[in-house]
């Protein structure tokens, strides 16, 4: 069976009307919607409920990281929004991840662990006292997420070939930092194009500005969709 890779469009806007305006230009048959901290903090659950009603799958990217009891309760609250994917920081530790997963295990929601952020470099690891290289840390956090019963991780596409042998076959790899062409001074330091990300083993491509910033977002979305499904 050929594995299908999904696309989730990151809607990083500061207002409900801007978010609805972009989502209205997209078709749920080609993508899900990723709602992160900026939009959710500005608009709250309304945008999640609205996108679900329009037929989109929703990835709520709030990267919870707190004491286990608080993260568990936040996951339960999020699960009531009928979302499809939710995430927590693997840096929050196994207790936190196990408790979070356990609280929503009866739901169809995929609980995903964030390993290291793409903005983290070696000097950051030293600053906070994490031992080993970036690759070692990503591997360690990914294994910790799997051992905690999480369904997958967020990582850079290029990380997948190095770590997948240590992880369950069913593990889901969600990869942001997707670029359709090279961008000068890009804030995504370890970007991959859609075809490379799929061949590295990505299950879900998270794409923001390359689609939302295009003159015709739906046209751009279909172009990527056709590229990875041809
Ligand atoms: O616009 P762009 O395609 O760079 O958007 C990427 C999205 O993925 C943003 O919403 C960002 O918050 C998110 N993300 C990321 N890197 C991670 C985790 C999430 O870029 N490690």
């Amino acid at each position: 069976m050929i594995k299908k890779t999904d696309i989730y469009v990151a809607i990083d806007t500061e207002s409900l009307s801007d978010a609805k305006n972009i989502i209205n230009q997209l078709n749920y048959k080609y993508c899900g919607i990723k709602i992160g901290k900026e939009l959710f903090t500005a608009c709250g659950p309304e945008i999640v409920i609205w996108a679900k009603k329009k037929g989109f799958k929703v990835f709520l990217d709030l990267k919870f990281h707190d004491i286990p009891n608080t993260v568990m309760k936040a996951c339960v609250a999020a699960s009531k929004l009928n979302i499809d994917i939710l995430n927590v920081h693997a840096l929050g530790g196994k207790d936190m991840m196990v408790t979070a997963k356990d609280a929503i295990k009866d739901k169809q929601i995929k609980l995903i662990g964030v390993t290291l952020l793409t903005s983290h470099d070696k000097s950051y690891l030293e600053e906070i006292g994490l031992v080993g290289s970036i690759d070692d840390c990503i591997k360690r956090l990914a294994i910790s997420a799997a051992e905690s019963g999480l369904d997958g991780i967020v990582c850079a596409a290029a990380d997948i070939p190095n770590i997948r042998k240590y992880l369950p076959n069913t593990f889901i790899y969600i990869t942001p930092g997707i670029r359709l062409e090279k961008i000068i001074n890009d804030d995504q330091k370890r970007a991959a194009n859609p075809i490379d990300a799929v061949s590295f083993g990505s299950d879900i491509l998270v794409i923001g500005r390359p689609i939302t910033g295009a003159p015709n977002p739906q046209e751009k979305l279909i172009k990527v969709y056709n590229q990875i499904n041809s």
Side-chain angles (χ1 to χ4, degrees), residues 10 12 34 61 63 116-118 154 176 178-179 188 206-210:
D12 294 317
K34 185 185 83 76
D61 176 24
K63 302 186 183 74
L116 285 185
L117 296 177
T118 37
V154 179
I178 302 298
R179 289 294 176 260
Q188 294 286 7
V206 170
I207 312 179
R209 292 159 291 179

Side-chain angles (χ1 to χ4, degrees), residues 64-125:
F64 293 137
H65 185 173
D66 209 314
I67 58 171
N69 185 55
T70 301
V71 168
M72 182 266 281
K73 287 187 171 160
C75 288
V76 170
S79 74
K80 292 181 182 154
L81 297 174
N82 192 23
I83 50 167
D84 301 277
I85 308 174
L86 180 65
N87 59 5
V88 298
H89 266 287
L91 277 168
K94 275 191 183 169
D95 259 7
M96 187 201 82
M97 289 190 277
V98 169
T99 312
K101 179 64 189 176
D102 202 45
I104 58 167
K105 66 174 183 301
D106 297 334
K107 307 268 184 174
Q108 293 295 309
I109 302 168
K110 301 291 182 200
L111 188 63
I112 302 296
V114 178
T115 54
L116 285 185
L117 296 177
T118 37
S119 53
H120 290 163
D121 58 13
K122 183 73 180 118
S123 64
Y124 170 81
L125 301 190

